[in-house]
Amino acid sequence: MRSVVLIFALLWTVFLGSFALAGSTARGQTEQTALVNPSTNADTVAVPPPSAKALRYYRSGNLLWFVDLAWGLAMPMLWLWTGASVRLRDFSWRVGQRWFVALAIYAALYLAISALLEFPFTYYVSYVRPHSYGLSHQGFPKWFGDALKRLGVGMLLIALLLWIPYGLMARSPRHWWIYTSLMAVPVLVSLVLVMPIWFDPLFNRFGPMHDQALEAKILALADRAGIEGGRVYEVDKGRDTSTVNAYVTGLFGTKRIVLWDTLLAKLSPDEVLCVMGHEMGHFALGHVLIGLLLSCLGNLVGLGFIHWTVTRLLRWDWLRTRTGLDRLADVATLPLLLLVGKVFVLATLPIGLAISRHQEFEADRFALEITRNNHACASTFVKLQLNNLSHPRPGPFYKLWRASHPSLGDRIDFSNTYRPWTTGDEGRYERYFRSKGVGPNDEANSDHASNGPP
């Protein structure tokens, strides 16, 4: 359902929603044959105006953002104000008998019931709407099966891990949030490590690239970027969607770059290498690790805010009388914790999104510098805009509260104009590159450079 794991994440990593880990969405960048030789094509790529369908998609998306926000705030309030949370706690104790078992039952049932209540909205947003705009052709059985898998994973995680913060609340009511933040660090690292090998394969098939010649060029680009041990995977998203995407995921031994097969089908080899340059920029610049560190810091601040707020709220007689809650360590306070956590995430979201946009912008710069193919980079963003029904110049609200990436219009403009090498200046990230000048494929690259992008 609607990011079922988010409920777990809101408790453990309240700030994680604000500091979205780098590389979770599509990015197009520069190309490959320019891997060693700069393109001589100085033509600029125009930013296409949004289509009527893209405008409708953009405006309805903003409206749904508010609906989702209202529902996200109303749901925990309903759990509290109706006394449903207390009744679920009592039921869990009668069934589970022991504290740990009762806590796991409450957590799993809370997540399942919440998912059931929000199912109509989730069904419209993630199934009906994409189909109506021609962005998805996924069958209902596959969509519903994936939703059940996400729910099952979320229920398992929250049932296994919720006892840690609540056990610390009982043992250390004043400092539980500090200890929970510290214990969340290995949990976060573990999740990032195992997601590519355990979670992602539940929903799609991942395998090596079919185009081995293109894969060789990608690996050559990675070598020039100083990236060793990374892997490139192709995922079969074409059976579900017509949109295009690529992302980085994993950590240490599980780090990898994932390309949707739709992206490989719709982009030229040069444009694919632009995407790769961008994703490699995330690796080389340490954005995944930075995201983890910021998430851990934000988790500490967020849980501190939850502790400070909830302990004061529970002192109000009217709240205690209305909800039946009288102590923080009562598992029935979970909706209250999530409600306060959501308020914190909402308040800090512009900061997290601004950091994400900065990282994406610098990854774009990295891609331009390592490929030096401005035309291919810009044309990639145009294809992303057209295929994903994106608005190239969204309004200030979207930029502040929804945009994890710079606008595609700005990225196209930057791709058209950023050329420090043409004036003899060194790029910001030249020091990351292992070699300069012509590489092993210099003849082919020189031919391409003279002819310009296809």
Side-chain angles (χ1 to χ4, degrees), residues 4-6 8-9 12 104 107-108 111 150-164 187 191 194-195 199:
V4 180
V5 184
L6 178 61
F8 164 76
W12 274 90
L111 202 58
R150 286 190 292 270
L151 176 60
V153 172
M155 292 172 64
L156 178 63
L157 283 175
I158 196 170
L160 290 177
L161 297 173
L162 193 64
W163 66 272
I164 299 177
V187 173
L191 287 176
V194 304
M195 185 167 290
F199 182 77

Side-chain angles (χ1 to χ4, degrees), residues 79-90:
W79 276 98
L80 294 170
W81 258 242
T82 62
S85 183
V86 171
R87 289 194 293 273
L88 181 61
R89 176 204 63 195
D90 294 342

Side-chain angles (χ1 to χ4, degrees), residues 303-315 336 340:
L303 287 177
F305 175 81
I306 289 177
H307 169 77
W308 185 87
T309 304
V310 173
T311 52
R312 280 155 180 77
L313 289 175
L314 290 178
R315 295 173 187 169
L336 183 59
V340 175

